[in-house]
Amino acid sequence: MEFGGQEIHESTLIHVQPTPFFRIAYRRADLAPSEQRTYRIAYWYWEFDHVPDDWGEINDEVDEIWTATEFVAKGLRARFDVPVKTLFPGVLLAPYEREARSAFGLPEGVFTFVFVFHMMSVMERKNPLGLIRAFRQAFQPDEPVRLVLKTSFGERHPEQFRVLEEAANQENIVLINEVYPSSRVLSLMDACDAYVSLHRSEGLGLTMAEAMLMGKPVIATNYSGNTDFMDASNSLLVDYELVSVGKGIPPYSEDSEWAEPSVDHAAQLMRKVYVDQEWSRALGATAKRASLNRFAPEVAGRRIARRLADIQLLRSKTMPR
């Protein structure tokens, strides 16, 4: 997207990651900074409750930081001395068509769990192997239940994808490695009965929010950004232990910590959703009701408008007359 010209408003929202793009954001946007610096707001995502050391180098170049969840805000507040505000974004389901399971090669009349991720997002963090272990513990191969793992870019990570393929080599586990348009990803999620994520850490957890908007029961690790909108009233949260990453997995350092979700507890919750399907559908309906207003873009827009108005008022009181 090209904007051209020069900043004309009092505040500028820079929605790119601090490294390596923040310092070249204006050039990439074909936008010239105004002679008198505007109030610069950085909107950042991250997957841990602490941020890399080199982010601090940008401290003097921002006046305020926004982020989507309190989980991320915690690390940002520890690193920066500017205001850090949690402004949850709107989540809206893109238009999609409802499709029969057969369109995805899935059988009808079989209870189906789904998890969506892509290999570029660090497979260890997304933890599909833990999900496979939980599924195998919860169900026998001959039971009428399926687990669908929808991923993409497996060819860019051949060794990891080979491990994933070997782990998923079971008749009732379906591994899809294709790049779908967002509408088709949503169609796949809609065609399944329940969503499950045994992630080790998430900055937001967008697919979980989307599944809730669809009215699906959602099972997820009780840790990180998703806990801003998931609780015991609207979802099933999996116990975990905090563990060290243990080895450098770019861009994450070896001394970082993330969750190790309980395979036993996840298996129990998956079994519960499968055995009592009427109850699980009711839970999904509750999740949808709770999410429709919370995730509404209009609600997010009002939050942002209020904050911008506060900034304008603050600046009007501090600017020289």
Side-chain angles (χ1 to χ4, degrees):
M1 180 180 292
E2 294 184 0
F3 294 95
Q6 192 173 47
E7 293 171 300
I8 59 173
H9 299 288
E10 293 182 0
S11 299
T12 302
L13 180 65
I14 305 174
H15 195 0
V16 296
Q17 287 300 87
T19 55
F21 300 119
F22 189 86
R23 288 194 168 102
I24 61 174
Y26 282 89
R27 175 162 53 85
R28 287 169 65 93
D30 194 24
L31 182 68
S34 64
E35 292 184 6
Q36 182 175 353
R37 176 170 144 174
T38 63
Y39 190 86
R40 290 185 180 174
I41 305 166
Y43 199 125
W44 290 335
Y45 282 83
W46 185 237
E47 290 84 31
F48 287 85
D49 62 357
H50 62 281
V51 299
D53 292 342
D54 59 357
W55 285 27
E57 298 172 5
I58 306 171
N59 189 78
D60 294 335
E61 299 183 41
V62 300
D63 300 293
E64 180 165 314
I65 302 171
W66 293 355
T67 191
T69 61
E70 273 296 305
F71 174 73
V72 184
K74 176 183 175 182
L76 290 167
R77 291 187 183 115
R79 178 69 60 188
F80 292 88
D81 54 17
V82 300
V84 176
K85 303 294 182 180
T86 298
L87 290 169
F88 190 87
V91 179
L92 187 67
L93 292 176
Y96 69 94
E97 294 184 6
R98 303 196 74 175
E99 297 187 54
R101 290 183 180 175
S102 58
F104 302 97
L106 302 173
E108 301 290 345
V110 173
F111 194 91
T112 305
F113 295 90
V114 63
F115 175 50
V116 176
F117 73 106
H118 62 74
M119 299 291 290
M120 304 296 285
S121 290
V122 183
M123 190 178 85
E124 292 90 343
R125 179 172 68 83
K126 294 295 186 176
N127 194 28
L129 300 181
L131 175 54
I132 290 171
R133 288 193 294 272
F135 179 79
R136 284 182 162 167
Q137 182 171 316
F139 305 105
Q140 296 299 315
D142 58 350
E143 289 187 277
V145 61
R146 291 288 187 280
L147 171 63
V148 177
L149 301 171
K150 165 63 183 76
T151 191
S152 53
F153 304 110
E155 64 282 355
R156 299 190 189 183
H157 301 271
E159 286 302 313
Q160 288 180 310
F161 188 68
R162 178 186 59 78
V163 171
L164 180 60
E165 281 187 306
E166 291 178 356
N169 186 22
Q170 185 170 307
E171 186 175 347
N172 58 357
I173 300 177
V174 179
L175 177 60
I176 301 172
N177 177 40
E178 294 184 47
V179 177
Y180 282 178
S182 59
S183 59
R184 187 154 171 79
V185 173
L186 293 174
S187 295
L188 171 62
M189 291 170 60
D190 186 75
C192 297
D193 296 295
Y195 192 86
V196 56
S197 172
L198 295 193
H199 60 269
R200 291 189 166 103
S201 191
E202 287 283 2
L204 174 62
L206 178 60
T207 56
M208 288 166 264
E210 290 174 330
M212 292 172 72
L213 282 172
M214 290 180 180
K216 305 295 180 182
V218 180
I219 301 169
T221 309
N222 190 19
Y223 180 75
S224 63
N226 60 297
T227 60
D228 269 30
F229 56 88
M230 297 178 72
D231 57 41
S233 72
N234 60 30
S235 53
L236 294 167
L237 295 170
V238 178
D239 296 340
Y240 69 93
E241 293 182 2
L242 275 181
V243 299
S244 172
V245 171
K247 63 177 181 178
I249 306 174
Y252 312 133
S253 63
E254 63 183 15
D255 58 349
S256 298
E257 287 188 330
W258 56 17
E260 186 60 49
S262 167
V263 169
D264 290 345
H265 191 214
Q268 292 169 16
L269 295 178
M270 294 175 79
R271 189 79 197 173
K272 179 179 178 68
V273 166
Y274 167 69
V275 169
D276 195 344
Q277 296 181 22
E278 182 177 351
W279 173 85
S280 67
R281 286 191 293 270
L283 178 63
T286 297
K288 183 174 182 177
R289 287 193 300 271
S291 304
L292 284 174
N293 181 67
R294 182 183 182 91
F295 296 166
E298 296 83 3
V299 174
R302 287 194 291 271
R303 282 195 295 266
I304 291 170
R306 285 194 296 269
R307 182 55 195 163
L308 290 173
D310 289 344
I311 291 170
Q312 187 175 24
L313 179 61
L314 177 65
R315 283 171 60 80
S316 69
K317 292 180 179 179
T318 58
M319 292 286 285
R321 297 181 182 274

